[in-house]
Structures are given as structure tokens and as C-alpha cells.
Amino acid sequence: MSLHIGAQAGEIAKRVLLPGDPLRAKHIAENFLEDAKCYNEIRGAFGYTGTYKGVPVSVQGTGMGIPSISIYVTELIREYGARKLIRVGTCGAMHENINLRDIVIAQGTTTDSSIIRNIFGPTINFAPLADYELMSKAMEVGQSLKIPTKVGNIVTVDRFYDDDIDNEKLRRYGILAVEMETAALYLLAAKYRVQSLGIFTASDHLLTKEAVPAEERQTNFNDMIKIALETIIQ
Ligand code: HPA
């Protein structure tokens, strides 16, 4: 048992998918994994381990934002030996090249969070990057399943409701989308020398103000999960 995860040693796989919403962890376990067993209910952050094509895979809800995902990712790596971690989440599209429902792969992430300078101080701006092997595999899997993916820089923000952020400038510098967790995932993966990747579906668009209706979200969420599972079992 760790502080926030109630699993026994050995109950969590080396390969872990990380949805923000714990109910999505349940959805993935029930619809994509075989013999899935729930190992955690602490704080409603459901976690399951099962197999995908015979390979043990876990799926752990992380909650929203950098503080929450940092807790789960740190404990998964330090206490349970997780080595390949793929965040599967939603993002807000903020670039004209990204359409609603597109699947976005985060090659790197820019952030307004203080986590980088808390570690590196005021002069070094560490660049949190995806694991190259996982990223290129995810792109290849997307192509072979004929599911289009877009790849590039995203922004991990600390505030969902942020009237002060300069989205126009971020767009000019090629930022594709906004979400709230991946900078921490990539930073922790670098710290502990494990592999990580963030894959997202665009659930809303900051330019057009459109949003995917809740009942429709599951369909392209499932495409993203297929890409993530085929990537993580390699
Ligand atoms: N902002 C921040 N995080 C998000 C968004 C957004 O618009 N959509 C999905 N996650």
C-alpha cells in the first residue's frame, strides 16, 4: 500500500494508462481489458489491472491538475515499479490546425506551472518531452488503424478558468492544445528515468468555442484508447 493507492505489491502492472477521470479508468477496464480487477478505491481514484492481448496493463485515474497527477505518478513509479505511463485525456484545441475530436499527441509541453522552476531554479527552463519510442509508436499505430493524429507542443496550465493567459501568443508559437497534467508526467518520467506519453482528444475548441457533446465523447475516446493500448504493449 502507498499513501494514496491501496494496491498490494505486485498488483499493478509496469504498463499504466492514466485517464484523469476515474470513471474512465472503469470504462477502459470494463471494455478493453481482460480479467480486470479493481485494486484501488481510495478517494474514488479507481485503479484496475487486467491484460490486453495477453500483456498485463493497469489503468489508474489521476484526478485533475498537476498536484493530483503528481501524487499518483510518483507512487506508481516509486512504490509499484511502473515503467511505461501513457496519459489518455481530453484537451482544449487552441490552434487552427486542430479540429474538434482530433487526437493530439504531446511531443513536448510548455507550462505556466512553477514545478519546473521549483526544481531547476530561475535560469534553466527544463523542457518536458515525450518518450521518443512511445511517441513514434503511437504515431505508427494511429496510421495503421487509420486514426489521424496530430503531434506537437501543448500547454499544461494550472488554471482551467484563466482570463489572464495569452492564448493568442501561444497559438502563434505553435501550441496545439491545452490541458492540465502532462508537464508533471513528463517531468517525473525524466526524474525517475521511465517512459511516458500524453495522448488527447480535443473535447472543446478555444477558437470556435465548440464542444463535443458529452454523449458523443466516448467514441473518439475509444479510438485514443486503442492507440494507447497498442502502443503500451510494445
Ligand atoms: N482547458 C484546460 N484543460 C482542458 C480543456 C481546456 O479548455 N479542455 C480539456 N482539458
Side-chain angles (χ1 to χ4, degrees):
M1 289 227 354
S2 62
L3 263 180
H4 303 87
I5 302 175
Q8 301 302 315
E11 282 187 325
I12 302 181
K14 271 191 339 198
R15 297 170 165 85
V16 189
L17 295 193
L18 302 166
D21 180 351
L23 291 178
R24 293 230 177 93
K26 188 166 186 277
H27 169 84
I28 295 165
E30 287 173 355
N31 293 283
F32 290 88
L33 300 184
E34 278 167 37
D35 304 321
K37 179 171 166 282
C38 183
Y39 63 74
N40 188 53
E41 291 189 352
I42 298 173
R43 289 176 186 255
F46 299 123
Y48 298 82
T49 300
T51 60
Y52 182 75
K53 299 192 172 172
V55 180
V57 174
S58 296
V59 47
Q60 172 65 54
T62 65
M64 290 177 281
I66 283 174
S68 188
I69 193 173
S70 298
I71 289 171
Y72 293 102
V73 166
T74 302
E75 293 183 17
L76 285 168
I77 297 171
R78 284 211 310 222
E79 315 287 333
Y80 295 99
R83 289 295 174 265
K84 287 183 195 236
L85 302 103
I86 301 186
R87 167 162 154 69
V88 283
T90 56
C91 65
M94 53 189 293
H95 198 277
E96 58 273 12
N97 292 349
I98 306 295
N99 300 311
L100 211 57
R101 302 178 182 78
D102 276 358
I103 292 179
V104 177
I105 295 174
Q107 181 180 11
T109 128
T110 296
T111 187
D112 66 353
S113 162
S114 60
I115 48 164
I116 307 288
R117 66 176 174 278
N118 285 347
I119 295 172
F120 291 93
T123 52
I124 295 290
N125 289 306
F126 177 81
L129 295 182
D131 175 75
Y132 185 78
E133 192 182 65
L134 289 180
M135 184 180 74
S136 47
K137 186 74 208 171
M139 288 153 65
E140 196 184 301
V141 169
Q143 263 174 359
S144 68
L145 296 176
K146 304 207 174 350
I147 304 168
T149 58
K150 307 255 169 82
V151 183
N153 201 355
I154 64 159
V155 62
T156 300
V157 296
D158 265 347
R159 285 167 292 173
F160 186 92
Y161 298 106
D162 185 351
D163 298 331
D164 305 306
I165 193 163
D166 188 348
N167 283 327
E168 179 47 39
K169 182 178 277 180
L170 292 171
R171 181 169 17 256
R172 267 193 276 122
Y173 280 77
I175 302 289
L176 302 179
V178 54
E179 58 83 66
M180 301 185 69
E181 294 82 16
T182 302
L185 173 62
Y186 288 3
L187 185 68
L188 288 165
K191 175 173 179 180
Y192 294 110
R193 298 178 177 225
V194 301
Q195 294 178 278
S196 74
L197 181 68
I199 311 180
F200 314 91
T201 60
S203 60
D204 54 291
H205 208 300
L206 273 60
L207 284 175
T208 62
K209 312 281 184 221
E210 307 159 276
V212 179
E215 64 278 8
E216 220 195 285
R217 281 185 195 177
Q218 215 62 276
T219 323
N220 59 344
F221 186 78
N222 288 348
D223 280 346
M224 171 179 63
I225 299 306
K226 271 183 231 152
I227 294 178
L229 283 168
E230 292 292 335
T231 301
I232 210 164
I233 62 170
Q234 299 303 315

